[in-house]
Amino acid sequence: ERSVAQQVLEELQEEHDPVESILGLIQRQYARKLEQGKQQAVIAALARRGFSLRDIRRALESWDMEQQELDFSGWDEF
């Protein structure tokens, strides 16, 4: 029934952190585009998947911080 399906979807969304979902998608599908400077294209693609702009921006900020940490992780040797 439609109402049951809607309720289940809402419960699943509440249990799952959308930022984590976005980060997973970035790792699997959009990392190369971000490396190429195509951030707006990635934002548009994620928005078409139904993610809010707020969650997308939070995920991209987290992604950027992770990438910066990776860039500097090799500096410990110097």
Side-chain angles (χ1 to χ4, degrees), residues 6-62:
Q6 182 65 30
Q7 182 180 358
V8 169
L9 285 174
E10 288 173 4
E11 289 174 8
L12 286 173
Q13 288 175 343
E14 289 173 6
E15 293 175 9
H16 196 71
D17 181 12
V19 174
E20 290 299 319
S21 296
I22 295 167
L23 286 170
L25 283 169
I26 289 172
Q27 289 173 342
R28 289 188 308 274
Q29 296 181 2
Y30 299 113
R32 177 163 285 169
K33 285 187 179 186
L34 289 175
E35 291 168 2
Q36 295 171 347
K38 297 179 179 180
Q39 186 175 20
Q40 292 300 320
V42 172
I43 291 170
L46 292 169
R48 284 191 299 273
R49 287 178 172 256
F51 294 105
S52 71
L53 186 55
R54 180 178 147 246
D55 289 336
I56 294 169
R57 294 219 182 267
R58 287 177 40 210
L60 289 173
E61 288 172 7
S62 178

